[in-house]
Amino acid sequence: MYRLRLAYLTTAFAALAFPAQAANLLVDNAWPMAKIQAEFANLIRSDLVHEIAIDADTISITADHPTDAEQTVDYSWDQSELRRSGSFVNFSALGMGDTKPFALDQLQFDKLPEVKAAAIAAYATPGSRIVEIEANQPTTRTSKKLLPLWEVTLSGSGDDTATVWVTALGQVVDVELPEASTDAAAIGPWLAPATVENTLARLAEEFGSDANFLEIMIDDTKALITMEDPQNPGDTAEFYMDAEKITRSSSSMPMPDPFAPTLDRAFTLADLESLDVTRLADLEARTIARMDMPDMTVFRYTISRNTLFMTPEDDRLLVEVRAEASDQWTGGPRRL
């Protein structure tokens, strides 16, 4: 989140009784979680929260400014006093950033023991420890419903860290492993037929077999997906997919692409039922054979009903297979 400091005013609102020996808020569960949240709620009242951050000895909350919609305010508790400090630009009100504010009572502090336990279990790495807990309501997720989530960062061996996203009730919804993790590496080369089939299976698991897709483009490192927006039916959205996660992305096109597929030419993953490992291997072999050039390799698949290659009345689903020779000469496509 981008922040521009406009002022820095610190006010101690309350001195809260606490044991003489401070707790480690990331490890201990004996501190008065519900009481601390209630004290924050007394100050924040009905103002929406942008972010919660918890480290070993402090809780900080960024919320809407009580009187100025263009600003936010930071509140913090250091195990002795609850303070208000600093006014900042409200980027969410300006339509910027990738989170949306939420009500404080949507995340209950007294559920943190379950949240921490779920995150540690999801990472499943012996000796791991929680190094930070944050909370926000991300707009980059794929789900139909916007939810505030706890974002738990864990440290394993060395400098590796993982992030686990957990709902208010302790349900794990996403895990981002270290880049060098064996789980990510085990997925295999992205353009291998088995990996492409797995990519389509991951999309079905994430969005359902009946979701409307406009285009699926898979290259040697990622997939870019254009589809009907699950959160806003009738609109389109773009998603980025790599070995670990699927997230929303924004188009880099300064103007609409006149050749881009539209919702009236959408398809579902059920339409790709025949695009299995055998069919993909066949398409790869036929493309390379048709090019009749040495050392050609496939570098991209694009699946759509794009009118750039088809007449408007032709509604067959097209699989464009791009192959490349050592001099970068390319060719394709194929139809299902």
Side-chain angles (χ1 to χ4, degrees):
M1 180 182 294
Y2 301 99
R3 291 177 174 171
L4 177 64
R5 181 166 302 197
L6 300 181
Y8 194 85
L9 300 173
T10 300
T11 305
F13 283 94
L16 303 179
F18 204 78
Q21 184 175 357
N24 183 328
L25 304 179
L26 299 175
V27 177
D28 301 333
N29 292 324
W31 53 280
M33 302 172 188
K35 178 180 178 182
I36 300 308
Q37 182 164 15
E39 294 293 343
F40 273 112
N42 286 338
L43 292 179
I44 295 172
R45 298 184 183 275
S46 61
D47 296 328
L48 296 180
V49 170
H50 294 249
E51 184 179 57
I52 302 172
I54 303 175
D55 59 26
D57 52 19
T58 307
I59 299 177
S60 300
I61 296 181
T62 301
D64 283 342
H65 194 286
T67 59
D68 189 342
E70 296 183 354
Q71 295 187 45
T72 60
V73 175
D74 276 0
Y75 302 90
S76 64
W77 175 68
D78 62 1
Q79 303 196 34
S80 62
E81 290 181 322
L82 188 61
R83 299 174 179 272
R84 167 179 164 177
S85 58
S87 298
F88 307 91
V89 171
N90 187 339
F91 285 98
S92 180
L94 298 175
M96 301 170 64
D98 54 10
T99 63
K100 185 176 180 179
F102 59 95
L104 179 60
D105 62 7
Q106 287 184 265
L107 294 176
Q108 295 297 323
F109 286 8
D110 58 7
K111 293 292 184 182
L112 281 170
E114 291 95 326
V115 169
K116 291 188 282 186
I120 291 171
Y123 187 26
T125 300
S128 63
R129 60 188 180 88
I130 296 174
V131 296
E132 187 175 40
I133 301 175
E134 296 183 339
N136 55 47
Q137 184 165 236
T139 58
T140 54
R141 289 185 53 76
T142 61
S143 64
K144 295 180 180 179
K145 188 175 181 180
L146 288 175
L147 291 172
L149 297 173
W150 293 107
E151 182 178 325
V152 184
T153 302
L154 301 101
S155 176
S157 59
D159 296 328
D160 290 343
T161 60
T163 304
V164 181
W165 284 267
V166 187
T167 68
L169 299 178
Q171 177 187 2
V172 173
V173 297
D174 205 355
V175 180
E176 183 175 314
L177 297 172
E179 289 186 5
S181 71
T182 54
D183 288 348
I187 291 179
W190 263 80
L191 290 173
T195 310
V196 173
E197 184 182 54
N198 180 64
T199 295
L200 298 177
R202 287 175 61 197
L203 290 175
E205 182 179 357
E206 186 77 21
F207 298 106
S209 60
D210 295 328
N212 288 319
F213 291 83
L214 282 68
E215 183 175 86
I216 300 172
M217 189 277 286
I218 305 171
D219 66 16
D220 60 346
T221 60
K222 63 185 181 300
L224 298 177
I225 301 102
T226 305
M227 62 181 294
E228 185 172 24
D229 191 345
Q231 294 180 6
N232 300 290
D235 294 337
T236 61
E238 294 182 352
F239 296 89
Y240 174 94
M241 177 180 183
D242 61 15
E244 297 174 344
K245 59 186 179 300
I246 306 173
T247 57
R248 288 177 179 263
S249 62
S250 57
S251 174
S252 60
M253 294 289 290
M255 297 183 65
D257 181 0
F259 300 108
T262 53
L263 282 172
D264 63 328
R265 297 180 73 84
F267 60 94
T268 69
L269 292 172
D271 296 325
L272 298 177
E273 192 173 8
S274 65
L275 195 62
D276 56 11
V277 169
T278 302
R279 190 70 181 276
L280 285 161
D282 177 64
L283 289 175
E284 178 181 359
R286 289 166 59 193
T287 299
I288 292 174
R290 183 171 182 177
M291 295 303 102
D292 193 24
M293 294 183 67
D295 303 323
M296 291 202 78
T297 56
V298 170
F299 73 92
R300 190 176 72 198
Y301 290 96
T302 306
I303 305 168
S304 73
R305 289 193 171 102
N306 197 326
T307 54
L308 182 62
F309 299 108
M310 306 164 69
T311 58
E313 63 274 6
D314 187 350
D315 64 353
R316 288 177 297 171
L317 196 52
L318 178 119
V319 180
E320 179 192 359
V321 185
R322 289 281 175 177
E324 182 177 67
S326 55
D327 62 357
Q328 297 186 341
W329 188 88
T330 63
R334 293 287 181 186
R335 287 179 172 82
L336 278 181

